Amino acid sequence: MAFSGPLAAFKQQCPSVEIELHQLSVTEMARQLQAQEVDLAVASQPISTEGLESVRLLDEEVALALPLGHPLARRTSVGIEELADRPLIATRPGHWQRRLLDQLFAGRGLTPRIICEGDEAGAIAELISAGLGIGLVPVIAQRTVSRVPLAWVGIDSPDCRRVLTLYWAQGGRLPAPARLLRDAIAAWDWETGGTDVWALSRK
């Protein structure tokens, strides 16, 4: 998990603080933040809920991951139209990667040919590497799936990006350990450190 970088750095500074991680949908993140069931949430989709504060962590390119030897693997970039009839491996509806994929295709009057849906980035990378299909993967994930042999090609579309954002409730309601964790996450070098989508709570 690439998100382990800032967490490990935080634990070195605050070894007595216990952290729980919850992988949640954006809707559930919003609900739990408002209910103060979690202190912080890192999301790849906007959480458009009142009463939250946020800081942008990363704005990054999302690329096309392909098996080695794929006909498109030697290209520097491809257009969405070129992917219309190709088998795609994607996340399930509701996940930011699936939302981005659907938006890119719908904006061109196309429907993606999805042959497999999953939730785990590592499993999706393995399936792509095995030659079952191709898929959209954030560029930062190239470090976390480096053990999986893949080719990476840019998408010729300026809106093929994701914005990673840290959220918390307004009003200074965060306990001291959560404030320290928030500051550690916000100060982390996300361009080289990596991330995933998690909600965070202290124990």
Side-chain angles (χ1 to χ4, degrees), residues 117-149:
E117 295 178 337
D119 295 318
E120 297 298 329
I124 289 174
E126 294 277 2
L127 292 171
I128 293 173
S129 178
L132 274 70
I134 59 180
L136 298 183
V137 180
V139 168
I140 206 169
Q142 293 182 31
R143 292 189 296 274
T144 63
V145 298
S146 58
R147 64 182 179 81
V148 181

Side-chain angles (χ1 to χ4, degrees), residues 3-176:
F3 198 62
S4 59
L7 295 183
F10 174 78
K11 286 293 286 184
Q12 288 180 351
Q13 298 297 318
C14 304
S16 63
V17 177
E18 183 178 337
I19 301 170
E20 290 184 357
L21 302 180
H22 309 275
Q23 195 165 17
L24 305 171
S25 67
V26 171
T27 301
E28 188 61 15
M29 281 185 186
R31 188 195 69 76
Q32 292 198 22
L33 282 169
Q34 287 188 314
Q36 299 185 53
E37 295 174 9
V38 298
D39 297 314
L40 307 168
V42 179
S44 295
Q45 297 182 47
I47 301 180
S48 54
T49 299
E50 293 185 1
L52 300 181
E53 296 185 57
S54 66
V55 61
R56 179 178 292 190
L57 303 175
L58 178 68
D59 183 342
E60 67 166 337
E61 178 188 359
V62 176
L64 182 68
L66 312 100
L68 298 179
H70 191 279
L72 298 176
R74 294 186 178 182
R75 299 272 297 276
T76 57
S77 66
V78 297
I80 296 298
E81 293 82 359
E82 297 177 83
L83 309 181
D85 296 322
R86 298 184 183 272
L88 293 163
I89 298 173
T91 50
R92 299 180 193 279
H95 192 280
W96 75 266
Q97 283 166 293
R98 179 61 173 274
R99 182 180 180 184
L100 175 61
L101 179 69
D102 290 342
Q103 288 176 343
L104 290 170
F105 274 71
R108 293 157 178 82
L110 301 171
T111 301
R113 181 186 162 209
I114 297 172
I115 63 162
C116 180
E117 295 178 337
D119 295 318
E120 297 298 329
I124 289 174
E126 294 277 2
L127 292 171
I128 293 173
S129 178
L132 274 70
I134 59 180
L136 298 183
V137 180
V139 168
I140 206 169
Q142 293 182 31
R143 292 189 296 274
T144 63
V145 298
S146 58
R147 64 182 179 81
V148 181
L150 290 170
W152 300 86
V153 176
I155 297 291
D156 187 16
S157 176
D159 52 348
C160 191
R161 306 186 66 83
R162 78 157 170 174
V163 176
L164 196 71
T165 305
L166 172 65
Y167 293 91
W168 64 93
Q170 287 179 343
R173 294 177 290 173
L174 283 178

